[in-house]
Amino acid sequence: ASRLEPALELARNGGFDAAMLDVNLAGDRSFPVADLLAARNIPFLFATGYGLDGIEEKYRHRPILQKPFRVGQLAAALDALAR
């Protein structure tokens, strides 16, 4: 989802095993989505161009994929989530 509200709906009701969250969703931060995923024990990572400083403190232990990234980096990050 590229906007916060659809992302929240997916986080509440989506049937998926893992997620990648862009920190910026059309001007809104994706941390409310992260809250829902964490509550559902769904693993996730952040994709961001902001670096670690753009991540809320409580989520800095989560995997972060720095943008721009290559397909191989994405595959490795998603593989790490599956472990």
Side-chain angles (χ1 to χ4, degrees):
S2 60
R3 301 218 180 262
L4 183 58
E5 288 306 318
L8 288 168
E9 179 62 27
L10 286 169
R12 282 185 201 101
N13 302 310
F16 47 88
D17 298 320
M20 180 172 68
L21 301 178
D22 193 323
V23 171
N24 184 350
L25 296 175
D28 293 313
R29 300 294 185 178
S30 64
F31 300 114
V33 178
D35 293 339
L36 290 170
L37 295 173
R40 292 184 61 200
N41 293 315
I42 295 174
F44 62 92
L45 63 86
F46 290 102
T48 182
Y50 300 110
L52 191 59
D53 291 338
I55 305 295
E56 285 187 358
E57 183 68 34
K58 69 180 177 178
Y59 288 118
R60 290 191 178 173
H61 68 284
R62 297 283 180 166
I64 299 170
L65 192 57
Q66 182 68 39
K67 295 192 308 187
F69 52 84
R70 296 182 180 265
V71 173
Q73 293 168 306
L74 173 60
L78 292 174
D79 184 56
L81 279 183
R83 294 184 200 166

Coordinates of all heavy atoms in Angstrom, one line a residue:
A1 N 0.8 -1.2 0.0 CA 0.0 0.0 0.0 C 0.9 1.2 0.0 O 1.9 1.3 0.7 CB -0.9 0.0 1.2
S2 N 0.5 2.2 -0.7 CA 1.3 3.4 -0.8 C 0.8 4.6 0.0 O 1.4 5.6 0.1 CB 1.4 3.9 -2.3 OG 0.1 4.2 -2.8
R3 N -0.3 4.3 0.7 CA -0.9 5.3 1.6 C -1.2 4.7 3.0 O -1.3 3.5 3.1 CB -2.1 5.9 1.0 CG -1.9 6.6 -0.3 CD -2.7 7.8 -0.4 NE -2.5 8.5 -1.7 CZ -1.7 9.5 -1.9 NH1 -1.0 10.0 -0.9 NH2 -1.5 10.0 -3.1
L4 N -1.2 5.5 4.0 CA -1.3 5.0 5.4 C -2.6 4.2 5.6 O -2.6 3.1 6.2 CB -1.2 6.1 6.4 CG -1.3 5.7 7.9 CD1 -0.1 4.8 8.2 CD2 -1.2 7.0 8.7
E5 N -3.8 4.7 5.3 CA -5.0 4.0 5.6 C -5.1 2.6 5.0 O -5.5 1.7 5.7 CB -6.2 4.9 5.2 CG -6.4 6.1 6.1 CD -6.5 5.7 7.6 OE1 -7.2 4.7 8.0 OE2 -5.9 6.4 8.4
P6 N -4.8 2.5 3.7 CA -4.8 1.1 3.1 C -3.8 0.2 3.8 O -4.0 -1.0 4.0 CB -4.5 1.3 1.6 CG -4.9 2.7 1.3 CD -4.6 3.5 2.6
A7 N -2.6 0.8 4.2 CA -1.6 0.0 4.8 C -2.1 -0.5 6.2 O -1.8 -1.6 6.6 CB -0.3 0.8 4.9
L8 N -2.8 0.4 6.9 CA -3.3 0.0 8.2 C -4.3 -1.1 8.1 O -4.3 -2.1 8.9 CB -4.0 1.2 8.9 CG -3.0 2.3 9.4 CD1 -3.8 3.6 9.8 CD2 -2.2 1.7 10.6
E9 N -5.2 -1.0 7.1 CA -6.2 -2.1 6.8 C -5.5 -3.4 6.5 O -5.9 -4.4 7.1 CB -7.1 -1.7 5.7 CG -8.2 -2.7 5.3 CD -9.1 -3.0 6.5 OE1 -9.4 -2.1 7.3 OE2 -9.7 -4.1 6.5
L10 N -4.5 -3.4 5.7 CA -3.7 -4.6 5.4 C -3.0 -5.1 6.7 O -3.0 -6.3 6.9 CB -2.7 -4.3 4.3 CG -3.3 -4.2 2.9 CD1 -2.2 -3.7 2.0 CD2 -3.8 -5.5 2.4
A11 N -2.5 -4.3 7.5 CA -1.8 -4.7 8.7 C -2.8 -5.3 9.7 O -2.4 -6.2 10.4 CB -1.1 -3.5 9.3
R12 N -4.0 -4.8 9.7 CA -5.0 -5.4 10.6 C -5.6 -6.7 10.1 O -5.8 -7.6 10.9 CB -6.2 -4.4 10.7 CG -6.0 -3.3 11.6 CD -7.3 -2.5 11.7 NE -7.0 -1.1 12.1 CZ -7.0 0.0 11.3 NH1 -7.3 -0.1 10.0 NH2 -6.7 1.1 11.8
N13 N -5.8 -6.8 8.8 CA -6.5 -8.0 8.2 C -5.8 -8.8 7.2 O -6.4 -9.8 6.7 CB -7.9 -7.5 7.7 CG -8.7 -6.7 8.7 OD1 -8.9 -7.3 9.8 ND2 -9.1 -5.5 8.4
G14 N -4.7 -8.4 6.8 CA -4.0 -9.0 5.7 C -3.5 -10.4 6.1 O -3.1 -10.6 7.2
G15 N -3.5 -11.3 5.1 CA -3.0 -12.7 5.3 C -1.6 -12.8 4.7 O -1.5 -13.3 3.6
F16 N -0.6 -12.4 5.4 CA 0.8 -12.5 4.8 C 1.7 -12.9 5.9 O 1.4 -12.8 7.1 CB 1.2 -11.1 4.2 CG 0.9 -9.9 5.0 CD1 1.8 -9.5 5.9 CD2 -0.3 -9.2 4.8 CE1 1.5 -8.4 6.7 CE2 -0.6 -8.1 5.6 CZ 0.3 -7.7 6.5
D17 N 2.9 -13.3 5.5 CA 3.9 -13.8 6.5 C 4.9 -12.8 6.9 O 5.5 -13.0 8.0 CB 4.6 -15.0 5.9 CG 3.6 -16.2 5.5 OD1 2.7 -16.4 6.4 OD2 3.8 -16.8 4.5
A18 N 5.1 -11.8 6.1 CA 6.1 -10.7 6.5 C 5.8 -9.5 5.7 O 5.0 -9.5 4.7 CB 7.5 -11.2 6.1
A19 N 6.4 -8.4 6.1 CA 6.1 -7.1 5.4 C 7.4 -6.3 5.3 O 8.3 -6.3 6.1 CB 5.1 -6.4 6.1
M20 N 7.4 -5.4 4.3 CA 8.4 -4.4 4.1 C 7.7 -3.1 4.2 O 6.8 -2.8 3.4 CB 9.2 -4.5 2.8 CG 10.2 -3.5 2.6 SD 11.3 -3.7 1.2 CE 10.1 -3.5 -0.2
L21 N 8.1 -2.2 5.1 CA 7.4 -0.9 5.2 C 8.3 0.2 4.8 O 9.5 0.4 5.2 CB 7.1 -0.7 6.7 CG 6.2 -1.7 7.4 CD1 6.0 -1.3 8.9 CD2 4.9 -1.8 6.7
D22 N 7.8 1.0 3.8 CA 8.5 2.3 3.5 C 8.2 3.2 4.7 O 7.0 3.3 5.1 CB 8.0 2.8 2.2 CG 8.9 3.9 1.7 OD1 9.4 4.7 2.5 OD2 9.0 4.0 0.4
V23 N 9.2 3.9 5.2 CA 8.9 4.8 6.4 C 7.9 5.9 6.0 O 7.1 6.3 6.8 CB 10.2 5.4 6.9 CG1 10.0 6.4 7.9 CG2 11.1 4.2 7.5
N24 N 8.0 6.4 4.8 CA 7.2 7.5 4.3 C 6.2 7.0 3.4 O 6.5 6.6 2.3 CB 8.1 8.6 3.6 CG 7.4 9.8 3.2 OD1 6.1 9.9 3.3 ND2 8.1 10.8 2.8
L25 N 4.9 7.1 3.8 CA 3.8 6.8 2.9 C 3.0 8.0 2.5 O 2.1 8.5 3.2 CB 2.8 5.8 3.7 CG 3.4 4.5 4.0 CD1 2.4 3.7 4.9 CD2 3.8 3.7 2.8
A26 N 3.4 8.6 1.4 CA 2.8 9.8 0.9 C 2.7 10.9 2.0 O 1.7 11.6 2.1 CB 1.4 9.5 0.3
G27 N 3.8 11.1 2.7 CA 3.8 12.1 3.7 C 3.5 11.7 5.1 O 3.7 12.4 6.1
D28 N 2.9 10.5 5.3 CA 2.6 9.9 6.6 C 3.7 8.9 7.0 O 4.2 8.2 6.1 CB 1.3 9.3 6.6 CG 0.1 10.2 6.5 OD1 0.1 11.3 7.2 OD2 -0.8 9.9 5.7
R29 N 4.0 8.8 8.2 CA 5.0 7.8 8.7 C 4.3 6.5 8.9 O 3.1 6.4 9.2 CB 5.6 8.2 10.0 CG 6.4 9.5 9.9 CD 7.6 9.3 9.0 NE 8.4 10.6 9.0 CZ 9.5 10.7 8.4 NH1 9.9 9.7 7.6 NH2 10.1 11.8 8.4
S30 N 5.0 5.4 8.6 CA 4.4 4.0 8.7 C 4.4 3.4 10.0 O 4.1 2.2 10.2 CB 5.0 3.1 7.6 OG 6.4 2.9 7.9
F31 N 4.8 4.1 11.1 CA 5.0 3.5 12.4 C 3.7 2.9 13.0 O 3.7 1.9 13.7 CB 5.7 4.4 13.3 CG 7.1 4.8 12.8 CD1 7.4 6.1 12.5 CD2 8.0 3.8 12.7 CE1 8.6 6.4 12.0 CE2 9.3 4.1 12.2 CZ 9.6 5.4 11.8
P32 N 2.5 3.5 12.7 CA 1.3 2.9 13.2 C 1.1 1.5 12.5 O 0.5 0.6 13.2 CB 0.2 3.9 12.8 CG 0.9 5.2 12.7 CD 2.2 4.9 12.2
V33 N 1.5 1.3 11.3 CA 1.4 0.0 10.6 C 2.4 -0.9 11.4 O 2.0 -2.1 11.6 CB 1.8 0.2 9.1 CG1 1.8 -1.2 8.5 CG2 0.9 1.1 8.5
A34 N 3.6 -0.5 11.7 CA 4.6 -1.3 12.4 C 4.0 -1.7 13.7 O 4.2 -2.9 14.1 CB 5.9 -0.5 12.6
D35 N 3.3 -0.8 14.4 CA 2.7 -1.2 15.7 C 1.7 -2.4 15.5 O 1.7 -3.3 16.3 CB 1.9 0.0 16.3 CG 2.8 1.2 16.7 OD1 4.0 1.0 16.9 OD2 2.3 2.3 16.8
L36 N 0.9 -2.3 14.5 CA -0.1 -3.4 14.3 C 0.6 -4.7 13.9 O 0.2 -5.8 14.4 CB -1.1 -3.0 13.2 CG -2.1 -1.9 13.5 CD1 -2.8 -1.4 12.3 CD2 -3.1 -2.4 14.6
L37 N 1.6 -4.6 13.1 CA 2.3 -5.8 12.7 C 3.0 -6.4 13.9 O 3.0 -7.7 14.1 CB 3.4 -5.5 11.6 CG 2.8 -5.1 10.2 CD1 3.9 -4.6 9.3 CD2 1.9 -6.2 9.6
A38 N 3.6 -5.6 14.7 CA 4.3 -6.1 15.9 C 3.3 -6.8 16.8 O 3.6 -7.9 17.4 CB 5.0 -5.0 16.6
A39 N 2.1 -6.2 17.0 CA 1.1 -6.8 17.8 C 0.6 -8.1 17.3 O 0.2 -9.0 18.1 CB -0.1 -5.8 18.0
R40 N 0.7 -8.3 16.0 CA 0.3 -9.6 15.3 C 1.4 -10.5 15.2 O 1.3 -11.6 14.6 CB -0.4 -9.3 14.0 CG -1.7 -8.6 14.0 CD -2.3 -8.4 12.7 NE -2.6 -9.7 12.1 CZ -2.8 -9.9 10.7 NH1 -2.7 -8.9 9.9 NH2 -3.0 -11.1 10.3
N41 N 2.6 -10.2 15.7 CA 3.8 -11.0 15.5 C 4.2 -11.3 14.1 O 4.6 -12.4 13.8 CB 3.7 -12.3 16.4 CG 3.7 -12.0 17.9 OD1 4.5 -11.2 18.3 ND2 2.8 -12.6 18.6
I42 N 3.9 -10.4 13.2 CA 4.3 -10.5 11.8 C 5.7 -9.8 11.6 O 5.8 -8.6 11.9 CB 3.3 -9.9 10.9 CG1 1.9 -10.6 11.0 CG2 3.8 -9.9 9.4 CD1 0.8 -10.0 10.3
P43 N 6.7 -10.5 11.2 CA 8.0 -9.9 11.0 C 8.0 -8.9 9.9 O 7.2 -9.0 8.9 CB 8.9 -11.1 10.6 CG 8.0 -12.2 10.2 CD 6.7 -12.0 10.8
F44 N 8.7 -7.8 10.1 CA 8.8 -6.8 9.1 C 10.1 -6.1 9.1 O 10.9 -6.2 10.1 CB 7.7 -5.8 9.3 CG 7.7 -5.0 10.6 CD1 8.3 -3.8 10.7 CD2 7.1 -5.6 11.7 CE1 8.4 -3.2 11.9 CE2 7.1 -4.9 12.9 CZ 7.7 -3.7 13.1
L45 N 10.4 -5.4 8.0 CA 11.6 -4.5 7.9 C 11.2 -3.2 7.4 O 10.1 -3.0 6.8 CB 12.7 -5.2 7.1 CG 12.4 -5.5 5.6 CD1 12.7 -4.3 4.7 CD2 13.2 -6.6 5.1
F46 N 12.1 -2.2 7.6 CA 11.8 -0.9 7.0 C 12.7 -0.7 5.8 O 13.9 -1.1 5.8 CB 12.2 0.2 8.1 CG 11.2 0.2 9.2 CD1 11.5 -0.3 10.5 CD2 10.0 0.9 9.1 CE1 10.7 -0.3 11.5 CE2 9.1 0.9 10.2 CZ 9.4 0.3 11.4
A47 N 12.2 0.0 4.8 CA 12.9 0.5 3.7 C 12.9 2.0 3.8 O 11.8 2.6 3.9 CB 12.3 0.0 2.4
T48 N 14.1 2.6 3.8 CA 14.1 4.0 4.0 C 15.3 4.7 3.4 O 16.4 4.1 3.3 CB 14.1 4.4 5.6 OG1 14.1 5.8 5.7 CG2 15.2 3.7 6.3
G49 N 15.1 5.9 3.0 CA 16.3 6.7 2.6 C 16.7 7.6 3.7 O 17.7 8.4 3.5
Y50 N 16.1 7.6 4.8 CA 16.4 8.5 6.0 C 17.5 7.9 6.9 O 18.0 8.7 7.7 CB 15.1 8.7 6.8 CG 14.0 9.4 6.1 CD1 12.8 8.6 5.8 CD2 14.0 10.7 5.7 CE1 11.8 9.2 5.1 CE2 13.0 11.3 5.0 CZ 11.9 10.5 4.7 OH 10.8 11.1 4.1
G51 N 17.8 6.7 6.7 CA 18.8 6.1 7.6 C 18.2 5.8 9.0 O 17.0 6.0 9.2
L52 N 19.0 5.4 9.9 CA 18.6 5.0 11.2 C 17.9 6.2 11.9 O 17.0 6.0 12.7 CB 19.8 4.5 12.1 CG 19.5 3.8 13.4 CD1 18.6 2.6 13.2 CD2 20.7 3.4 14.1
D53 N 18.3 7.4 11.7 CA 17.7 8.6 12.3 C 16.2 8.8 12.0 O 15.5 9.4 12.7 CB 18.5 9.8 11.9 CG 19.9 9.9 12.6 OD1 20.1 9.2 13.6 OD2 20.7 10.6 12.0
G54 N 15.8 8.2 10.9 CA 14.4 8.3 10.5 C 13.5 7.2 11.1 O 12.3 7.2 10.8
I55 N 14.1 6.3 11.9 CA 13.3 5.2 12.5 C 13.1 5.6 14.0 O 14.0 6.0 14.7 CB 14.1 3.9 12.4 CG1 14.5 3.6 11.0 CG2 13.4 2.8 13.1 CD1 13.4 3.3 10.1
E56 N 11.8 5.4 14.4 CA 11.5 5.6 15.8 C 12.4 4.7 16.7 O 12.7 3.6 16.3 CB 10.0 5.4 16.1 CG 9.1 6.5 15.6 CD 7.7 6.2 16.0 OE1 7.3 5.2 16.7 OE2 6.9 7.1 15.6
E57 N 12.8 5.2 17.8 CA 13.7 4.5 18.7 C 13.2 3.1 19.0 O 14.0 2.2 19.0 CB 13.8 5.3 20.0 CG 14.7 4.7 21.0 CD 16.2 4.7 20.6 OE1 16.6 5.7 19.9 OE2 16.9 3.8 20.9
K58 N 11.9 2.9 19.2 CA 11.4 1.5 19.6 C 11.6 0.5 18.5 O 11.4 -0.7 18.7 CB 10.0 1.6 20.1 CG 8.9 1.9 19.1 CD 7.6 2.0 19.7 CE 6.5 2.4 18.7 NZ 5.2 2.3 19.4
Y59 N 11.8 1.0 17.2 CA 11.9 0.1 16.1 C 13.4 0.1 15.5 O 13.6 -0.6 14.5 CB 11.0 0.5 15.0 CG 9.5 0.2 15.4 CD1 8.6 1.1 15.5 CD2 9.2 -1.2 15.6 CE1 7.3 0.8 15.9 CE2 7.9 -1.5 16.0 CZ 7.0 -0.5 16.1 OH 5.7 -0.8 16.5
R60 N 14.3 0.7 16.2 CA 15.7 0.7 15.7 C 16.3 -0.7 15.7 O 17.4 -0.9 15.1 CB 16.5 1.7 16.4 CG 16.1 3.1 16.0 CD 17.0 4.2 16.4 NE 16.5 5.5 16.0 CZ 17.0 6.6 16.3 NH1 18.1 6.6 17.1 NH2 16.5 7.7 15.9
H61 N 15.8 -1.6 16.4 CA 16.3 -3.0 16.4 C 15.8 -3.8 15.2 O 16.3 -4.9 15.0 CB 16.0 -3.7 17.7 CG 14.5 -4.0 17.9 ND1 13.6 -3.0 18.2 CD2 13.8 -5.1 17.7 CE1 12.4 -3.6 18.2 NE2 12.5 -4.8 17.9
R62 N 14.9 -3.3 14.5 CA 14.3 -4.0 13.4 C 15.3 -3.9 12.2 O 16.0 -2.9 12.1 CB 12.9 -3.4 13.0 CG 11.9 -3.6 14.0 CD 11.3 -5.0 14.0 NE 10.3 -5.1 15.0 CZ 9.5 -6.2 15.1 NH1 9.6 -7.1 14.2 NH2 8.6 -6.2 16.0
P63 N 15.2 -4.8 11.3 CA 16.0 -4.7 10.1 C 15.6 -3.5 9.2 O 14.5 -3.1 9.1 CB 15.7 -6.0 9.3 CG 15.1 -6.9 10.3 CD 14.4 -6.1 11.3
I64 N 16.7 -2.8 8.7 CA 16.5 -1.6 7.9 C 17.2 -1.8 6.5 O 18.4 -2.2 6.5 CB 17.0 -0.4 8.6 CG1 16.3 -0.2 9.9 CG2 16.9 0.8 7.7 CD1 17.0 0.9 10.8
L65 N 16.5 -1.6 5.5 CA 17.0 -1.7 4.1 C 17.2 -0.3 3.6 O 16.2 0.4 3.5 CB 16.1 -2.5 3.2 CG 16.6 -2.9 1.9 CD1 17.9 -3.8 2.0 CD2 15.5 -3.8 1.2
Q66 N 18.4 0.2 3.5 CA 18.7 1.6 3.0 C 18.4 1.7 1.5 O 18.8 0.9 0.7 CB 20.1 1.9 3.3 CG 20.5 3.3 3.0 CD 19.9 4.4 3.9 OE1 19.7 4.2 5.1 NE2 19.4 5.5 3.3
K67 N 17.5 2.7 1.2 CA 17.2 3.0 -0.2 C 18.3 4.0 -0.8 O 18.8 4.8 0.0 CB 15.8 3.6 -0.3 CG 14.7 2.7 0.1 CD 13.3 3.2 -0.3 CE 12.9 4.5 0.1 NZ 11.5 4.9 -0.1
P68 N 18.6 3.8 -2.0 CA 18.2 2.8 -2.9 C 18.9 1.5 -2.6 O 20.0 1.5 -2.1 CB 18.6 3.4 -4.3 CG 19.8 4.2 -4.0 CD 19.6 4.8 -2.6
F69 N 18.2 0.4 -2.9 CA 18.8 -0.9 -2.7 C 18.7 -1.8 -4.0 O 17.9 -1.5 -4.9 CB 18.1 -1.6 -1.5 CG 16.6 -1.7 -1.6 CD1 16.0 -2.7 -2.4 CD2 15.8 -0.8 -1.0 CE1 14.6 -2.7 -2.5 CE2 14.4 -0.8 -1.0 CZ 13.8 -1.8 -1.8
R70 N 19.4 -2.8 -4.0 CA 19.4 -3.7 -5.2 C 18.6 -4.9 -4.8 O 18.3 -5.2 -3.7 CB 20.9 -4.2 -5.5 CG 21.8 -3.0 -5.9 CD 23.1 -3.5 -6.3 NE 24.0 -2.5 -6.7 CZ 24.2 -2.1 -8.0 NH1 23.6 -2.8 -8.9 NH2 25.0 -1.1 -8.3
V71 N 18.2 -5.6 -5.9 CA 17.3 -6.8 -5.7 C 18.0 -7.8 -4.8 O 17.3 -8.4 -3.9 CB 17.0 -7.4 -7.1 CG1 16.2 -8.7 -6.9 CG2 16.1 -6.5 -7.9
G72 N 19.3 -8.0 -4.9 CA 20.0 -9.0 -4.0 C 19.9 -8.6 -2.6 O 19.8 -9.4 -1.7
Q73 N 20.0 -7.3 -2.3 CA 19.9 -6.8 -0.9 C 18.5 -7.1 -0.4 O 18.3 -7.4 0.8 CB 20.3 -5.3 -0.8 CG 21.7 -5.0 -1.2 CD 21.9 -3.6 -1.3 OE1 21.3 -2.9 -2.2 NE2 22.9 -3.0 -0.6
L74 N 17.5 -6.8 -1.2 CA 16.1 -7.1 -0.8 C 15.9 -8.6 -0.5 O 15.3 -8.9 0.5 CB 15.1 -6.6 -1.8 CG 13.7 -6.9 -1.6 CD1 13.1 -6.3 -0.3 CD2 12.8 -6.5 -2.8
A75 N 16.4 -9.4 -1.4 CA 16.2 -10.9 -1.2 C 16.9 -11.3 0.1 O 16.4 -12.1 0.9 CB 16.8 -11.6 -2.4
A76 N 18.1 -10.8 0.4 CA 18.8 -11.2 1.6 C 18.1 -10.7 2.8 O 18.0 -11.4 3.8 CB 20.2 -10.6 1.6
A77 N 17.5 -9.5 2.8 CA 16.8 -8.9 3.9 C 15.5 -9.8 4.2 O 15.2 -10.1 5.3 CB 16.4 -7.5 3.7
L78 N 14.8 -10.1 3.1 CA 13.6 -10.9 3.3 C 13.9 -12.3 3.8 O 13.2 -12.9 4.6 CB 12.8 -10.9 2.0 CG 12.2 -9.6 1.6 CD1 11.5 -9.7 0.2 CD2 11.2 -9.1 2.6
D79 N 15.0 -12.9 3.3 CA 15.4 -14.2 3.7 C 15.8 -14.1 5.2 O 15.4 -15.1 6.0 CB 16.7 -14.6 2.9 CG 17.1 -16.0 3.3 OD1 16.3 -16.9 3.2 OD2 18.3 -16.2 3.7
A80 N 16.4 -13.1 5.7 CA 16.7 -13.0 7.1 C 15.4 -12.9 8.0 O 15.4 -13.4 9.1 CB 17.6 -11.7 7.3
L81 N 14.4 -12.3 7.4 CA 13.1 -12.2 8.2 C 12.5 -13.6 8.3 O 11.8 -13.8 9.3 CB 12.1 -11.3 7.4 CG 12.2 -9.8 7.6 CD1 11.1 -9.1 6.9 CD2 12.2 -9.4 9.1
A82 N 12.7 -14.4 7.3 CA 12.1 -15.7 7.4 C 12.7 -16.7 8.4 O 12.2 -17.7 8.7 CB 12.2 -16.4 6.0
R83 N 13.9 -16.3 8.9 CA 14.6 -17.2 9.8 C 14.1 -17.1 11.2 O 13.6 -16.2 11.7 CB 16.1 -16.9 9.8 CG 16.7 -17.3 8.5 CD 18.2 -17.1 8.5 NE 18.6 -17.0 7.1 CZ 19.8 -16.6 6.7 NH1 20.6 -16.2 7.6 NH2 20.1 -16.6 5.5

